């Protein structure tokens, strides 16, 4: 009996790897939804950029100043900082900038609460498009123009290309690689297969009414973006992916912050499955694949854990007498490694040294410990602090 349960577990791991491999190949062969051309004539829609920020005094002013430098008409976009638990001095500085500030306060703060409070103060027709950006994010100068062009082509929900603006530590390099793997598999790969792109919490844009409806009933503490994504797809809308619409995001630079962030993400994934698993099965049975695959995606183990578990299963299998117990996980491990290599862009390979490779097992252990700490994320919002605002790198598409 134990043997067959173990085989079933190995089968689950193999299916997870096949899922990632199919989408990795699709991302390499397919295309994103960019159709914007520099200099093209546009009907400039009114855009509101929501910036939820919790205790982000260290970065918010610099980020706002950077994001005001759009090549989009200044009277056709507005930055809206949702300021939660800011110092008075920071609020005073923000008041001198040509932006809107909404001050909020909650007993238990979450990004979803901050955004919904702001949405309640924004009439449906004040903006044609609502963009969400993190407090540390720097939008590329043409970001809003590209978003505007996509909505002019009929999109109601799109995800931009979020990339690292810092690779100053080994943890940041690996976090940047993880981000780009997600972009390749869950965004570009999904669109190549005709499914909705995943969203990631920032660098994303929505029709205001669609966003308000999608944000109306949320259940998770820290994973509002997963629920918003699911609700948009359930409403019959696809989510596009703009590979050339760059948003520069500060990656975590320290192991402890990495663990804290992954704890929040794992908890959000667990809560998402708790509320949407049955609905996902129903969607699959009824042939609505775009929404069904959102739940299937959440069933796939995080890649770092998958690498570690497959490696461990291979070693355990070698100690036994049944060849299938080591051949199956070893084959899965090799396919997974190949898939991840396919998904990493060339400009990041140049950042990888032996130091980053040696750090991978350490982050595996950190990730495993994060799983055992997820109860913390069920009780309170685990904020990822940003302590600096490094300059954004060159356009990654043009990095030699």
């Amino acid at each position: 009996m134990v043997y067959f349960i173990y085989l079933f577990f190995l089968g689950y791991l193999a299916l997870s790897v096949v899922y990632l491999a199919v989408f990795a190949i699709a991302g390499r062969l397919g295309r994103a939804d960019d159709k914007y051309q520099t200099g093209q004539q546009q009907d400039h829609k009114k855009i509101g950029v929501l910036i939820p920020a919790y205790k982000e005094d260290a970065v918010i002013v610099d980020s706002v100043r950077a994001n005001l430098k759009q090549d989009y008409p200044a009277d056709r976009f507005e930055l809206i900082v949702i300021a939660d638990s800011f110092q008075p001095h920071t609020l005073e500085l923000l008041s001198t900038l040509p932006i809107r500030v909404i001050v909020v306060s909650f007993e238990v703060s979450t990004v979803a609460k901050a955004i919904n409070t702001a949405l309640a103060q924004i009439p449906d027709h004040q903006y044609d498009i609502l963009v969400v950006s993190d407090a540390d994010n720097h939008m590329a100068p043409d970001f809003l123009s590209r978003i505007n062009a996509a909505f002019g082509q009929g999109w109601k929900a799109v995800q931009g290309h979020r990339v690292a603006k810092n690779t100053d530590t080994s943890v940041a390099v690996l976090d940047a690689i993880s981000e780009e793997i997600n972009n390749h598999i869950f965004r570009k790969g999904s669109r190549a297969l005709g499914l909705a792109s995943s969203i990631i919490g920032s660098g994303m844009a929505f029709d205001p009414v669609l966003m308000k409806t999608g944000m109306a009933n949320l259940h998770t503490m820290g994973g509002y973006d997963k629920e918003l994504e699911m609700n948009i797809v359930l409403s019959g809308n696809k989510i596009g992916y703009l590979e050339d619409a760059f948003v520069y995001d500060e990656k975590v630079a320290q192991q402890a912050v990495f663990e804290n962030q992954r704890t929040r993400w794992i908890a959000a994934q667990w809560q998402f499955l708790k509320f949407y698993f049955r609905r996902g099965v129903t969607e699959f049975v009824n042939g609505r694949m775009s929404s069904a695959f959102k739940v299937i995606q959440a069933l796939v183990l995080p890649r770092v854990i998958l690498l570690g578990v497959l490696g461990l299963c291979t070693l355990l299998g070698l100690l036994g007498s049944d060849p299938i117990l080591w051949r199956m996980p070893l084959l899965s491990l090799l396919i997974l490694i190949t898939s991840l290599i396919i998904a990493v862009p060339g400009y990041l390979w140049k950042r990888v040294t032996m130091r980053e490779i040696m750090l991978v097992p350490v982050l595996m252990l950190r990730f495993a410990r994060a799983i055992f700490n997820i109860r913390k994320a069920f009780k309170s919002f685990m904020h990822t602090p940003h302590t600096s605002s490094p300059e954004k790198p060159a356009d990654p598409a043009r990095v030699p």
Side-chain angles (χ1 to χ4, degrees), residues 107-275:
E107 185 175 344
V108 178
S109 295
T110 68
V111 177
K113 288 179 181 178
I115 291 177
N116 275 325
T117 299
L119 290 177
Q121 299 182 32
I122 298 174
D124 290 345
H125 302 293
Q126 183 174 358
Y127 304 103
D128 303 305
I129 304 170
L130 286 176
V131 169
V132 180
S133 180
D134 277 350
D136 66 292
N137 287 175
H138 291 184
M139 299 181 291
D142 62 351
F143 180 79
L144 294 184
S145 293
R146 291 180 179 278
I147 294 293
N148 182 66
F151 275 72
Q153 294 154 10
W155 287 100
K156 291 188 176 181
V158 295
Q159 172 65 55
H161 188 169
R162 202 171 77 175
V163 296
K165 67 179 177 181
N166 63 305
T167 52
D168 50 339
T169 70
S170 294
V171 175
V173 170
L174 293 177
D175 197 21
I177 288 174
S178 177
E179 179 93 279
E180 285 288 38
I181 290 173
N182 286 335
N183 287 331
H184 183 92
I185 293 176
F186 300 125
R187 283 171 266 289
K188 191 176 180 180
S190 291
R191 291 300 302 130
L193 293 173
L195 303 171
S197 166
S198 292
I199 60 176
I200 199 171
S202 71
M204 52 191 189
F206 308 98
D207 170 84
V209 175
L210 181 64
M211 183 179 182
K212 287 185 178 182
T213 303
M215 291 286 296
N217 295 296
L218 302 179
H219 304 94
T220 62
M221 174 71 73
Y224 85 96
D225 50 342
K226 289 183 180 293
E227 287 196 82
L228 175 58
E229 175 185 319
M230 186 67 172
N231 290 335
I232 288 173
V233 175
L234 287 173
S235 70
N237 290 278
K238 287 285 180 71
I239 303 172
Y241 174 54
L242 305 182
E243 191 174 25
D244 295 329
F246 290 107
V247 170
Y248 300 95
D249 176 69
E250 183 183 339
K251 311 319 294 176
V252 296
Q254 305 299 326
Q255 293 182 33
V257 180
F258 173 90
E259 182 180 327
N260 181 76
Q261 185 186 68
R262 267 50 181 186
T263 300
R264 187 179 81 244
W265 289 1
I266 295 168
Q269 187 166 334
W270 174 260
Q271 289 179 313
F272 176 82
L273 283 171
K274 177 182 177 182
F275 286 104

Side-chain angles (χ1 to χ4, degrees), residues 17 306-307 310-311 314 328-338:
V17 170
L306 198 54
L307 284 167
L310 285 171
T314 300
M328 190 173 176
L330 177 60
L331 179 60
S332 297
L333 180 61
L334 293 175
I335 294 174
L336 176 60
I337 292 173
T338 302

